[in-house]
Amino acid sequence: QDLVWKSNTSLGQAKWAKPEDGNTSGYYDICLKRDDKKVVTFTSVGATSMNFYPWMTKEGDYTFEVRTAGTGSTRSDWASSDSQWVDEKHVSDGSGQFDPSGTGGGSGKSSSGRYSA
């Protein structure tokens, strides 16, 4: 799977490709990490992109991981992205956090995470 940050000027905008082997249910487990420590994980997300910026509330080196969420216990191995650095000046205030799998609450607001370098 190709996991990429969409750009360096739009923090937290992540995307990934469907597996080429066709082994997909169309749902993914996704995990955001800061300095190799888990920040947030979502299961069974029916999308191939995610705005992680609302969870980028501290300075650090962020990566995200994705795996195919199959039916039952069949899941692919985790694939990891390159890192994206967020400095103290550009961290999120935490607004816009929601559960993309639709299993929890949340404000439903979105945050673009844009800044000018």
Side-chain angles (χ1 to χ4, degrees), residues 1-2 17-24:
Q1 293 176 340
D2 292 323
K18 292 180 181 178
E20 289 183 15
D21 63 7
N23 180 20
T24 180

Side-chain angles (χ1 to χ4, degrees), residues 59-106:
E59 182 175 83
D61 214 9
Y62 287 86
T63 57
F64 67 96
E65 296 180 340
V66 176
R67 70 178 177 187
T68 303
T71 55
S73 62
T74 58
R75 284 177 154 59
S76 67
D77 292 333
W78 287 101
S80 297
S81 72
D82 289 335
S83 63
Q84 184 175 68
W85 176 257
V86 179
D87 62 33
E88 191 64 38
K89 191 167 109 176
H90 297 107
V91 297
S92 170
D93 63 5
S95 64
Q97 293 184 7
F98 67 101
D99 184 347
S101 62
T103 58

Side-chain angles (χ1 to χ4, degrees), residues 1-116:
Q1 293 176 340
D2 292 323
L3 283 69
V4 295
W5 295 107
K6 289 184 181 179
S7 77
N8 284 327
T9 58
S10 186
L11 294 174
Q13 300 291 326
K15 67 178 180 176
W16 54 93
K18 292 180 181 178
E20 289 183 15
D21 63 7
N23 180 20
T24 180
S25 63
Y27 291 92
Y28 304 90
D29 296 336
I30 54 178
C31 177
L32 177 68
K33 292 183 173 183
R34 180 183 62 250
D35 301 327
D36 289 325
K37 295 184 178 99
K38 190 185 322 181
V39 175
V40 66
T41 300
F42 299 105
T43 58
S44 299
V45 175
T48 56
S49 64
M50 175 73 184
N51 177 8
F52 284 114
Y53 185 70
W55 293 273
M56 294 175 151
T57 58
K58 294 182 181 175
E59 182 175 83
D61 214 9
Y62 287 86
T63 57
F64 67 96
E65 296 180 340
V66 176
R67 70 178 177 187
T68 303
T71 55
S73 62
T74 58
R75 284 177 154 59
S76 67
D77 292 333
W78 287 101
S80 297
S81 72
D82 289 335
S83 63
Q84 184 175 68
W85 176 257
V86 179
D87 62 33
E88 191 64 38
K89 191 167 109 176
H90 297 107
V91 297
S92 170
D93 63 5
S95 64
Q97 293 184 7
F98 67 101
D99 184 347
S101 62
T103 58
S107 66
K109 293 186 290 182
S110 67
S111 177
S112 69
R114 294 189 178 278
Y115 75 96
S116 297

